[in-house]
Amino acid sequence: MHNLTIKQLSDGLRQKKFSSVELTQSALARVEKFNPRLNAFITVTAERALEHARRADARLARGEGGPLTGVPIAHKDIFCAAEVRTTCGSRMLDRFVSPYDATVVAKLQAAGVVSVGKTNMDEFAMGSSNETSYYGPVRNPWDETRVPGGSSGGSAAAVAGRVVPAATGTDTGGSIRQPAALSGIVGLKPTYGRVSRYGMIAFASSLDQAGVLTQTAEDAALLLGAMAGLDPRDSTSVDEPVPDYAAELNKPLQGLKIGLLKEFFDGLEPGNAQAVQAALEVFRKLGASTQELSLPSLPLSVSTYYVVAPAECSSNLSRFDGVRFGHRCEEPRDLLDLYKRSRGEGFGAEVKRRIMTGTYVLSAGYYDAYYLKAQKVRQLIADDFRRAFESVDVLIGPTTPTPAFELGAKVDDPITMYLNDIYTIGANMAGLPALSTPCGFVDGLPVGLQIVGPVFSEARLLNVAHAYQQETEWHTKIPHGYE
Amino acid sequence: MYDYARFFQLPEAFGPVATPMSLTREDLEKIAHLARLQISAEELPAYVESLSSIIDFVEQLNGADTTDVLPMAHPLSGQTQRLRADEVTENNARELHQQNAPRVEAGLYLVPKVIE
């Protein structure tokens, strides 16, 4: 039953083919079997999961509950879960037990979802390979010498290896879509503000957005419906009705206008280009039309990101002071020493690099030159996207420039690592929803197809991806040894 | 190898080619102090190098014409942050929250002596 989708599990639970306890036990057994290889989990909450599963079974037996009741998933360890260790992949929070639930965790729990544990991630979500985690790198089930992508790498590997049917993630510059692409699964980053950020440990608050990593667009629709919505506890969560995402999945694509960004196709590797071109043929067959477009300011998105994100990170991570929670150094001489050594020891190299980059670009005399300039360029990028959506419904292209790379290949060169996200960062800059779905393989490694839409077009993106998945089988492929 | 330069239309200065460091060791020490981060003498050179390359990289923003462009205030146009009434909405959970504190006594957070 481990290779069933959430939709299939939901139907099976209702038809009493299996119980939630059985599903949860099966997921926990797969965690035990595969985690020594994948390192996808930081914390496993077996007892708690089984207790929630028993409650879900009781609800189902009474004929209660919704489509997600009793379905096991995993949460990225960036989401606070009450009474559960929440590390954010950092030594800083190694012993942090959250006193409260993130809204995402609470809403999914209320929908009856059973969380089996917390997944590994780049430290504070800063990374594109899951190698900056204090808990060690995650391995890609398609080739265990390669990275699964990041920062939601543990969630991606766990779903790709069918350890759990789906997992939550967060996306600040591509951290859901890039690992989904590199791991051969579906990843959805919703519109900025669509899902509450309350209890989601902050990295760059104007970019962070919670989403899901799943096997199918249909599963993403089911989960997003339960996660989305206004939250009074997050002042940036948007007051916009949540549609029934699953209801719009089967709309025909006849007449769909697809934009192809020149910037996304120039210089693409032949293997990736071929997979993406083949996908476009599928859409044309379904009645969609394609046209070339250019977003002139898009090539500036990575440099904009590497001003805005570190600036917000340096501000957000100032809360880790060694006083109220988190790591504290031994024998501090004075308060300054306490701050400096607690933070120096608690944070890893990439987090320190970003805090210092942010501190620099926000410091006196540089604020206008870097941060203000970047926020202006960011507006240009958002305007470019808005203009594009006046003539097309969605933009389609590759999710990443290359398939999964080898562990250790890019750890010494931050800029090369940052360039993994050249195609994904644009959507974060403009606050747009975007989705990655598997569209082929290069040398046995998955390739992702990215679909970007205007704000609050999640239903359309899921509809487009679902239609594609009815015509292709890439999303059903399971890595060897994990079948 | 993916040709990143084509995406960015970058000047030749971009890449692993050695360019003059835009930050000095002293700059880095000052930044680390402002950020309240202890960086050891051995770690410093690597940070000088990587921060310099990041700062060089983001210099390309200066090539963008942003005359009359207002800096983005919210990712979604027309959105503003909501305010709420200034009233107590949470119960006091000091003991629960202090369970995560490294050192507390009688409900207070303990830090090294600040005032002589």
Side-chain angles (χ1 to χ4, degrees):
Chain A
M1 51 190 147
H2 61 266
N3 51 12
L4 299 179
T5 66
I6 286 189
K7 179 69 171 72
Q8 291 163 336
L9 293 174
S10 176
D11 293 344
L13 281 164
R14 230 146 290 268
Q15 293 155 8
K16 308 265 185 293
K17 284 188 185 159
F18 35 71
S19 68
S20 177
V21 168
E22 284 169 324
L23 289 182
T24 304
Q25 280 166 340
S26 161
L28 289 168
R30 284 185 71 84
V31 172
E32 203 165 312
K33 182 173 178 193
F34 292 112
N35 205 45
R37 280 158 66 178
L38 295 176
N39 196 28
F41 283 80
I42 292 174
T43 304
V44 181
T45 52
E47 276 178 35
R48 186 186 168 91
L50 289 167
E51 186 197 317
H52 288 182
R54 279 191 289 272
R55 258 187 258 162
D57 282 334
R59 274 170 84 179
L60 290 166
R62 292 195 298 268
E64 298 167 11
L68 294 173
T69 304
V71 173
I73 66 152
H75 283 300
K76 184 179 183 178
D77 204 18
I78 198 167
F79 293 101
C80 286
E83 295 167 42
V84 175
R85 183 168 79 134
T86 300
T87 71
C88 220
S90 180
R91 182 186 182 194
M92 182 59 86
L93 292 174
D94 186 44
R95 283 178 292 178
F96 180 76
V97 177
S98 175
Y100 69 105
D101 275 328
T103 296
V104 163
V105 171
K107 285 188 102 159
L108 287 175
Q109 202 170 302
V113 170
V114 174
S115 168
V116 299
K118 309 293 287 293
T119 59
N120 202 344
M121 55 181 283
D122 278 298
E123 184 179 8
F124 284 103
M126 299 174 200
S128 306
S129 67
N130 216 112
E131 291 169 293
T132 71
S133 169
Y134 176 61
Y135 303 93
V138 175
R139 279 165 222 95
N140 190 324
W142 291 97
D143 176 347
E144 290 168 17
T145 67
R146 289 175 190 267
V147 305
S151 65
S152 310
S155 289
V159 177
R162 301 299 190 265
V163 176
V164 283
T168 55
T170 59
D171 192 315
T172 304
S175 281
I176 287 174
R177 292 159 286 155
Q178 186 257 14
L182 268 44
S183 303
I185 56 170
V186 174
L188 170 67
K189 176 203 103 69
T191 307
Y192 179 78
R194 176 73 290 184
V195 177
S196 169
R197 293 183 296 111
Y198 179 76
M200 190 176 111
I201 296 170
F203 160 19
S205 305
S206 77
L207 302 164
D208 295 344
Q209 179 57 204
V212 288
L213 296 101
T214 58
Q215 300 163 51
T216 64
E218 185 174 35
D219 285 0
L222 290 170
L223 284 168
L224 180 64
M227 289 162 65
L230 177 68
D231 180 6
R233 288 175 148 159
D234 172 5
S235 67
T236 58
S237 93
V238 179
D239 191 3
E240 177 81 19
V242 180
D244 181 355
Y245 294 111
E248 297 183 42
L249 287 173
N250 292 308
K251 259 171 62 178
L253 297 193
Q254 187 66 44
L256 179 78
K257 286 185 275 185
I258 298 173
L260 310 177
L261 293 183
K262 184 183 157 302
E263 288 78 11
F264 279 16
F265 286 89
D266 281 358
L268 193 59
E269 272 187 16
N272 281 41
Q274 219 173 4
V276 174
Q277 292 297 350
L280 293 174
E281 265 323 300
V282 173
F283 288 116
R284 290 189 193 106
K285 247 184 250 156
L286 292 172
S289 63
T290 57
Q291 56 176 287
E292 265 206 41
L293 285 171
S294 172
L295 304 190
S297 56
L298 195 64
L300 292 169
S301 55
V302 182
S303 39
T304 307
Y305 180 86
Y306 279 98
V307 172
V308 174
E312 295 183 10
C313 130
S314 78
S315 166
N316 270 325
L317 271 60
S318 65
R319 74 192 59 183
F320 299 100
D321 56 6
V323 175
R324 293 160 302 153
F325 47 83
H327 177 76
R328 180 178 195 150
C329 67
E330 297 283 341
E331 308 285 330
R333 284 190 308 278
D334 51 32
L335 193 59
L336 188 64
D337 184 49
L338 166 68
Y339 290 150
K340 285 189 169 180
R341 279 201 292 131
S342 298
R343 289 163 61 78
E345 293 166 9
F347 293 135
E350 180 60 24
V351 172
K352 283 187 266 199
R353 178 158 36 239
R354 295 203 195 184
I355 290 174
M356 288 193 285
T357 305
T359 303
Y360 179 74
V361 300
L362 290 176
S363 61
Y366 295 107
Y367 178 85
D368 285 5
Y370 292 107
Y371 189 72
L372 209 62
K373 181 74 181 181
Q375 287 290 67
K376 288 179 181 175
V377 176
R378 194 174 164 191
Q379 190 60 56
L380 290 179
I381 296 168
D383 292 343
D384 272 4
F385 272 108
R386 202 159 25 244
R387 264 191 297 275
F389 290 123
E390 284 167 10
S391 52
V392 297
D393 300 310
V394 293
L395 297 166
I396 294 186
T399 308
T400 61
T402 68
F405 45 94
E406 288 184 356
L407 285 157
K410 299 183 180 185
V411 279
D412 295 328
D413 181 359
I415 299 264
T416 311
M417 186 67 90
Y418 297 172
L419 296 181
N420 276 294
D421 301 326
I422 53 174
Y423 298 144
T424 48
I425 281 177
N428 302 80
M429 288 295 123
L432 304 173
L435 175 153
S436 181
T437 185
C439 71
F441 288 84
V442 174
D443 301 330
L445 299 169
V447 176
L449 184 79
Q450 186 178 212
I451 311 169
V452 186
V455 292
F456 301 115
S457 65
E458 287 85 354
R460 191 60 162 157
L461 302 186
L462 291 162
N463 162 228
V464 172
H466 181 73
Y468 176 72
Q469 289 171 2
Q470 303 314 297
E471 300 296 317
T472 56
E473 289 185 341
W474 304 117
H475 64 289
T476 66
K477 304 288 183 211
I478 298 174
H480 180 66
Y482 292 86
E483 294 92 345
Chain B
M1 182 63 195
Y2 180 77
D3 182 6
Y4 291 100
R6 285 192 67 179
F7 179 81
F8 294 105
Q9 299 142 15
L10 292 175
E12 287 180 9
F14 175 72
V17 187
T19 49
M21 292 292 164
S22 50
L23 297 176
T24 63
R25 193 184 170 95
E26 290 68 40
D27 290 334
L28 213 285
E29 283 170 348
K30 190 180 157 211
I31 298 165
H33 172 71
L34 288 172
R36 298 292 185 269
L37 287 170
Q38 182 83 41
I39 305 289
S40 70
E42 300 82 67
E43 293 173 297
L44 261 178
Y47 283 114
V48 172
E49 194 180 324
S50 60
L51 256 82
S52 290
S53 68
I54 294 166
I55 296 302
D56 291 344
F57 177 63
V58 303
E59 285 297 339
Q60 62 169 279
L61 290 174
N62 290 323
D65 180 5
T66 52
T67 320
D68 299 329
V69 177
L70 287 176
M72 180 184 276
H74 195 289
L76 310 188
S77 65
Q79 288 284 339
T80 49
Q81 294 213 15
R82 278 185 309 283
L83 297 175
R84 66 166 177 84
D86 184 16
E87 51 197 27
V88 178
T89 56
E90 301 282 331
N91 298 321
N92 182 8
R94 185 175 68 183
E95 276 172 34
L96 176 67
H97 291 154
Q98 288 194 334
Q99 283 171 11
N100 277 302
R103 288 192 68 191
V104 286
E105 201 177 295
L108 303 171
Y109 294 97
L110 293 190
V111 294
K113 201 167 165 184
V114 180
I115 302 163
E116 292 300 328

